[in-house]
Amino acid sequence: MIKIRSKKVEGIISEIIDQYTYADTSDRPWIIGFSGGKDSTVLLTLVWISLQRIKETLPYPYQLRRPVYVVCNDTMVENPIISSYIDDVLVKVEEGARDQGIPIIVKKTVPKLEESFWINVIGKGYPVPNNTFRWCTDKLKIRPTSNFLLEQIDEKGEAVVLLGTRYEESATRERSMRKHEVEGKRLSKHNTNANTYVYAPIKELQLEEIWYIINTVKSPWGFDNSILFQIYADASADDYECPTVVTNKAHSSCGQSRFGCWTCTVVKKDKSMSALIDNGQHWMQPLLEFRNSLVENRNVSENRSTTRRNGMPAVDEDGHRSGNYEIHYRARILRELLEIQKRVQLERPHVTLITNQELIAIQVMWNRDLEFDFTVGEIYKKIYNKDISTNNIKSLDDTERRILKEVCKEDTSYYHLIDNLITLQETKTLMISKYGLHNDVENRIESFVNENEL
């Protein structure tokens, strides 16, 4: 049995045990939001130790009847170092829970394909997020996790979400936490999800206590916590000294950096990625430069259209355009992204910056926008010197194209129209449903007629 030489931490474990076994007699599941960072690691550690003690010391019926889900949200644009670390941790968590007979279940959530970062930016032409248009949090983080929560609520009626939030993180965070708390109650109502409760066991822990647990308490799922400590140390963008109780000189300082998407354009400067590069992760330099380029080119008028995706005008009195990205800029982003991916994969073959599924879906979006001047396949082939794998899509073969061109030789514009319509029909199957195909076809024909009337 793991013992911790801290009355405060032992008190938290006792509270978790009481909440799991006595205070709540229902079997509603616990859901731990796990980011792989220091706070969620400590939260999972204390919950795991609590479950071990329940199993070892408490008789039936106070056994491990309640499932505990460790839910990790993958935005698909996570910092590659953190993403790789989390994958390794989750494997160990699954193995450890199985070997120890602990009811911990790992679940990884991802955005729907049509809501991924690159589908929105390159496919639909959404400008990259900033403080006034921060669409990423909802699409990439909140919705995937909320969908999992709803599944559990539908099955059990209610669910309890355990968060690794702490008062000390910021004054804003403390105000938000206290706003939803009920005096004398451990659980508070979730501020958006019905039939969902929030439990924050480590809310009163100080930063030094967080690092004390990571540095001195052996990971109950058998992982090496020093790896996490080193990631924070390498990502520290300043000389911040963690006020941690240390057991050796290697723990004398560490970073307090926050990790997130490597594409994050909401912050002015990605200090953690810059620090990782300065501390030896030089292969990430192209990612940082590309991220900075996304910020610099976000509001360039030539890159933006005169309307938003809903058709509303987006030109100010000075003629500056602020609509969605023009197709030429979307194609440029894709080309640069693929070039960087190819370059990075020479050293880190496992790193994928954009998936094949996203590439195919981007082509679908371009076709639906009636954008046929650029194709994903051509851009990909120029960079990788091979065709992208598109098992789900059937295009015209050379013989069919030759016959079609022959039939339309008197007016090649008809060839392009028919080719575009076939492409619309074929690529629509990639999105499972043919919903909207009729409108797409009508729009393309209408565009053709208008062009030929001029």
Side-chain angles (χ1 to χ4, degrees):
M1 184 182 297
I2 298 176
K3 290 286 187 180
I4 300 177
R5 290 184 296 178
S6 166
K7 289 184 179 180
K8 185 175 182 180
V9 176
E10 282 290 344
I12 294 173
I13 293 173
S14 296
E15 178 189 288
I16 295 172
I17 292 173
D18 179 71
Q19 186 62 37
Y20 186 95
T21 56
Y22 303 111
D24 185 356
T25 57
S26 73
D27 61 352
R28 53 187 174 185
W30 279 11
I31 299 171
I32 296 178
F34 185 75
S35 68
K38 61 186 188 304
D39 294 328
S40 62
T41 297
V42 166
L43 172 62
L44 180 56
T45 296
L46 300 186
V47 170
W48 195 302
I49 292 172
S50 301
L51 296 179
Q52 286 178 330
R53 293 186 184 180
I54 292 172
K55 182 180 180 182
E56 293 170 2
T57 62
L58 294 182
Y60 181 85
Y62 303 112
Q63 282 295 309
L64 305 176
R65 68 186 185 280
R66 186 197 316 274
V68 178
Y69 292 95
V70 175
V71 180
C72 181
N73 178 238
D74 180 5
T75 62
M76 300 175 67
V77 282
E78 297 293 322
N79 181 305
I81 289 179
I82 304 302
S83 180
S84 178
Y85 165 79
I86 291 174
D87 286 343
D88 292 342
V89 170
L90 293 180
V91 168
K92 281 291 190 180
V93 169
E94 286 186 308
E95 292 176 351
R98 182 180 63 248
D99 295 344
Q100 297 175 34
I102 301 292
I104 287 179
I105 305 161
V106 173
K107 293 290 182 180
K108 202 168 186 180
T109 61
V110 295
K112 292 181 179 179
L113 180 59
E114 63 269 26
E115 294 188 340
S116 77
F117 185 84
W118 296 124
I119 298 299
N120 279 287
V121 174
I122 302 176
K124 300 176 184 177
Y126 275 35
V128 293
N130 63 10
N131 279 320
T132 58
F133 187 43
R134 195 170 181 168
W135 53 263
C136 53
T137 303
D138 180 58
K139 291 178 182 289
L140 306 185
K141 294 185 177 182
I142 295 176
R143 291 186 191 179
T145 305
S146 294
N147 289 338
F148 177 79
L149 270 176
L150 290 174
E151 291 175 7
Q152 300 307 309
I153 293 169
D154 286 343
E155 184 178 341
K156 297 292 186 180
E158 291 181 338
V160 179
V161 176
L162 279 71
L163 298 178
T165 50
R166 297 181 297 109
Y167 293 144
E168 188 200 26
E169 290 180 80
S170 69
T172 302
R173 173 59 61 82
E174 181 174 358
R175 283 196 300 272
S176 176
M177 292 172 67
R178 293 191 184 280
K179 177 181 177 182
H180 297 98
E181 290 177 351
V182 179
E183 187 174 356
K185 301 288 185 180
R186 292 172 185 156
L187 305 185
S188 57
K189 287 287 291 182
H190 196 281
N191 59 349
T192 57
N193 288 14
N195 298 329
T196 305
Y197 296 85
V198 174
Y199 179 30
I202 67 170
K203 61 187 178 183
E204 294 184 357
L205 286 182
Q206 302 293 306
L207 182 60
E208 63 180 10
E209 293 167 320
I210 292 292
W211 284 116
Y212 168 81
I213 295 169
I214 290 175
N215 289 331
T216 63
V217 177
K218 184 179 179 181
S219 168
W221 53 90
F223 201 79
D224 183 359
N225 281 344
S226 67
I227 297 174
L228 177 62
F229 187 91
Q230 191 58 49
I231 289 174
Y232 271 90
D234 289 343
S236 181
D238 48 35
D239 294 327
Y240 179 86
E241 295 289 321
C242 283
T244 179
V245 178
V246 299
T247 56
N248 60 57
K249 292 182 179 179
H251 295 159
S252 60
S253 67
C254 66
Q256 193 178 214
S257 300
R258 292 188 179 275
F259 300 104
C261 304
W262 71 267
T263 56
C264 184
T265 51
V266 176
V267 295
K268 292 182 178 179
K269 183 179 179 182
D270 192 329
K271 294 182 179 180
S272 63
M273 186 151 60
S274 297
L276 285 168
I277 293 168
D278 291 341
N279 283 295
Q281 301 291 350
H282 304 299
W283 63 273
M284 297 186 73
Q285 184 65 38
L287 276 66
L288 180 62
E289 293 173 356
F290 180 71
R291 175 262 172 204
N292 292 341
S293 175
L294 291 176
V295 175
E296 293 167 5
N297 290 286
R298 184 187 191 280
N299 297 321
V300 174
S301 184
E302 291 76 10
N303 296 338
R304 308 284 286 269
S305 70
T306 58
T307 59
R308 307 188 193 282
R309 286 197 66 83
N310 61 7
M312 295 296 291
V315 183
D316 64 22
E317 57 186 16
D318 296 324
H320 187 276
R321 301 189 290 185
S322 58
N324 55 294
Y325 286 147
E326 291 277 21
I327 188 63
H328 70 84
Y329 182 58
R330 292 190 240 171
R332 171 186 159 186
I333 294 175
L334 177 59
R335 184 181 67 253
E336 293 177 354
L337 177 63
L338 288 173
E339 288 172 345
I340 292 169
Q341 177 172 268
K342 182 181 179 182
R343 177 178 168 186
V344 167
Q345 286 176 337
L346 294 175
E347 184 176 343
R348 306 271 171 150
H350 66 283
V351 173
T352 299
L353 303 181
I354 184 170
T355 66
N356 273 17
Q357 291 89 344
E358 288 177 293
L359 291 171
I360 296 169
I362 286 170
Q363 184 63 67
V364 172
M365 296 298 175
W366 288 2
N367 291 340
R368 295 203 64 184
D369 284 352
L370 307 182
E371 302 287 3
F372 300 101
D373 292 338
F374 299 89
T375 68
V376 173
E378 290 175 355
I379 295 172
Y380 185 90
K381 190 167 186 177
K382 285 182 180 178
I383 295 169
Y384 279 93
N385 196 30
K386 64 179 180 180
D387 293 325
I388 186 175
S389 175
T390 55
N391 297 330
N392 294 12
I393 183 169
K394 177 185 179 298
S395 59
L396 292 175
D397 61 27
D398 291 339
T399 302
E400 291 169 326
R401 289 186 183 280
R402 180 178 55 78
I403 294 172
L404 184 58
K405 285 182 178 179
E406 181 67 22
V407 172
C408 302
K409 64 181 179 181
E410 293 185 4
D411 190 343
T412 57
S413 63
Y414 283 97
Y415 163 76
H416 294 298
L417 170 64
I418 295 170
D419 187 28
N420 293 164
L421 294 176
I422 292 172
T423 301
L424 280 172
Q425 191 278 331
E426 291 172 342
T427 55
K428 187 63 181 169
T429 63
L430 295 171
M431 304 306 280
I432 308 302
S433 167
K434 286 185 170 57
Y435 175 77
L437 176 61
H438 179 73
N439 288 337
D440 292 345
V441 171
E442 281 192 347
N443 290 338
R444 181 63 188 100
I445 294 174
E446 182 180 344
S447 174
F448 175 79
V449 172
N450 291 336
E451 290 169 0
N452 284 272
E453 285 180 346
L454 296 176

